[in-house]
């Protein structure tokens, strides 16, 4: 029995392996304890002449030794299981560290990409503003010349260009990311950063304007 237990313990490597070994040892221990009860009863009978008293006591002593040995093995296996669990936890932490380093590298690339896109957006906004100012100047000349049919509606032009589907933000988005998303949407949304508010009641594209509270988030004005 001892050699079998030693062989099983020798093959155990992980905390789960040691837990399985301990379960087997517990079963053997319970069986041996049950057998000790039977041997103790046999000893009692031998005391009163029913059986070989010396043999009964020797068998009981051997059973007690087996119980003590099993208990020691279980304690040792428990220590091995705890150490294996600690080692596995350290390995998990090390693996997590490697994973996070890789994610940090990808994050850096994402931020660099975001920076490039922001700079591209700024350049596009500069060019668009230059064109819008040129068109606004021409609209003033058309007004003065009485040829208003040549005027270009800047608001309609911008809103038409900005129309289209928009990506939905992830369900779990940090507060700074939500704020940045609202800021970006304000460039696309009527009443946002690029859409100057008309005077209260003034028509915009033939539609009477609505009063929008200043507290309304930029990305939600429209």
């Amino acid at each position: 029995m001892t050699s079998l237990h030693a062989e099983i313990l020798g093959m155990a490597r992980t905390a789960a392996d040691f837990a399985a070994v301990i379960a087997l040892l517990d079963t053997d221990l319970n069986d041996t304890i049950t057998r000790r009860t039977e041997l103790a009863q046999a000893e009692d009978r031998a005391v009163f002449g029913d059986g070989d008293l010396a043999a009964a006591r020797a068998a009981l002593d051997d059973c007690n030794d087996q119980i003590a040995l099993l208990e020691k093995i279980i304690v040792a296996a428990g220590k091995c299981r705890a150490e294996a669990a600690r080692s596995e936890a350290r390995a998990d932490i090390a693996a997590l560290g490697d994973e996070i380093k890789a994610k940090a590298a990808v994050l850096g690339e994402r931020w660099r990409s975001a920076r490039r896109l922001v700079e591209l957006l700024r350049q596009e906004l500069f060019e668009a503003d230059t064109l819008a100012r040129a068109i606004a100047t021409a609209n003033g000349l058309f007004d003065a010349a009485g040829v208003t049919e040549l005027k270009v509606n800047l608001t309609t032009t911008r809103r038409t260009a900005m129309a289209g589907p928009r990506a939905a933000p992830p369900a779990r988005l940090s507060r700074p990311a939500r704020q940045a998303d609202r800021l970006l949407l304000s460039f696309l949304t009527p009443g946002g950063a690029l859409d100057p508010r008309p005077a209260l009641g003034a028509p915009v594209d033939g539609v009477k304007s609505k009063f929008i509270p200043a507290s309304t988030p930029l990305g939600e004005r429209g």
Side-chain angles (χ1 to χ4, degrees):
M1 181 174 62
T2 303
S3 61
L4 176 60
H5 292 151
E7 181 180 354
I8 295 174
L9 280 173
M11 293 186 296
R13 293 292 182 271
T14 67
D17 291 340
F18 285 109
V21 171
I22 291 172
L24 292 175
L25 291 169
D26 283 336
T27 299
D28 288 348
L29 178 60
N30 291 333
D31 292 343
T32 305
I33 291 174
T34 299
R35 189 159 59 88
R36 180 176 63 179
T37 300
E38 297 171 353
L39 291 174
Q41 293 172 350
E43 182 189 31
D44 290 341
R45 291 193 298 270
V47 169
F48 295 99
D50 182 9
D52 186 336
L53 180 59
R57 285 179 173 173
L60 182 59
D61 289 341
D62 181 63
C63 186
N64 285 328
D65 290 341
Q66 291 178 9
I67 290 173
L69 178 60
L70 283 170
E71 289 174 341
K72 288 181 181 179
I73 294 175
I74 290 172
V75 171
K79 293 179 180 179
C80 291
R81 178 179 61 179
E83 179 56 36
R86 286 191 291 269
S87 177
E88 290 165 9
R90 289 192 295 269
D92 289 342
I93 291 296
L96 179 60
D98 293 338
E99 179 184 350
I100 293 304
K101 286 181 182 178
K103 287 185 176 181
V106 174
L107 177 61
E109 288 298 323
R110 291 289 186 180
W111 283 127
R112 280 188 285 274
S113 178
R115 179 188 178 281
R116 288 192 295 270
L117 291 173
V118 168
E119 287 300 318
L120 177 60
L121 172 61
R122 294 180 68 223
Q123 188 61 43
E124 291 293 334
L125 289 175
F126 298 157
E127 297 292 340
D129 183 69
T130 299
L131 291 170
R133 286 187 288 107
I135 292 172
T137 299
N139 282 345
L141 294 175
F142 295 148
D143 267 331
V147 285
T148 57
E149 69 276 6
L150 297 179
K151 292 177 61 177
V152 174
N153 190 311
L154 292 173
T155 300
T156 299
T157 301
R158 188 190 65 78
R159 291 185 179 182
T160 300
M162 294 293 191
R166 300 173 189 172
R172 298 185 63 183
L173 197 63
S174 68
R175 184 174 180 179
R178 288 197 302 270
Q179 293 173 339
D181 184 52
R182 285 196 294 269
L183 176 60
L184 291 173
L185 286 176
S186 75
F187 292 106
L188 309 178
T189 307
L194 298 178
D195 196 7
R197 295 180 190 173
L200 185 61
V204 177
D205 294 344
V207 179
K208 188 174 182 180
S209 66
K210 299 178 181 179
F211 174 73
I212 304 173
S215 59
T216 303
L218 289 175
E220 298 175 5
R221 296 172 184 168

